[in-house]
Amino acid sequence: MRRRSNTWLLALLALSLCAAPAAAQTAQQKKMQSCSVEANAKQLSGEARKQFMSQCLSKDSGNSQQVRMRACNAQAKAKALSGTARKDFMKSCLSNAALAPAQPAM
């Protein structure tokens, strides 16, 4: 009986290890599908579609938290803000950046 339960545990462990890469593939597949839909909407084909898909799949979201934080920090530094004024500016800047659509880098 004990041997049978060990076999089941090993089988479950193997299945759980195989399931982890599937989640990462799913994220990539979603990104691929999203880029494909966008390329279709722009009616791209041939070399133009290939270039667009390559750029779309390679870029991280231009609106990611890290990108927004860098941009807002640079603006705050340029304005020489500090203390409460900087804190208020950063809060406003980050919330506004979250609402703004990502601009394509070309």
Side-chain angles (χ1 to χ4, degrees):
M1 193 69 151
R2 185 176 189 119
R3 189 173 198 186
R4 195 176 266 179
S5 65
N6 286 343
T7 304
W8 281 105
L9 286 174
L10 287 174
L12 287 173
L13 178 63
L15 285 174
S16 67
L17 292 175
C18 291
Q25 289 175 350
T26 302
Q28 180 64 22
Q29 288 170 343
K30 286 180 182 177
K31 190 170 186 178
M32 179 80 135
Q33 184 178 16
S34 172
C35 290
S36 182
V37 167
E38 193 173 342
N40 289 342
K42 293 181 178 186
Q43 298 179 342
L44 297 175
S45 62
E47 189 62 29
R49 182 184 179 89
K50 184 178 174 183
Q51 287 178 348
F52 172 80
M53 290 296 288
S54 176
Q55 180 184 14
C56 182
L57 292 170
S58 68
K59 71 179 178 184
D60 188 15
S61 173
N63 223 11
S64 71
Q65 178 67 22
Q66 189 175 17
V67 170
R68 291 190 313 242
M69 186 67 101
R70 281 191 198 129
C72 292
N73 271 328
Q75 290 175 24
K77 185 176 181 180
K79 294 179 180 184
L81 297 175
S82 63
T84 305
R86 181 183 177 89
K87 182 180 173 183
D88 292 341
F89 171 79
M90 290 297 290
K91 183 176 179 180
S92 173
C93 181
L94 289 170
S95 65
N96 288 338
L99 299 174
Q103 297 296 323
M106 286 193 183

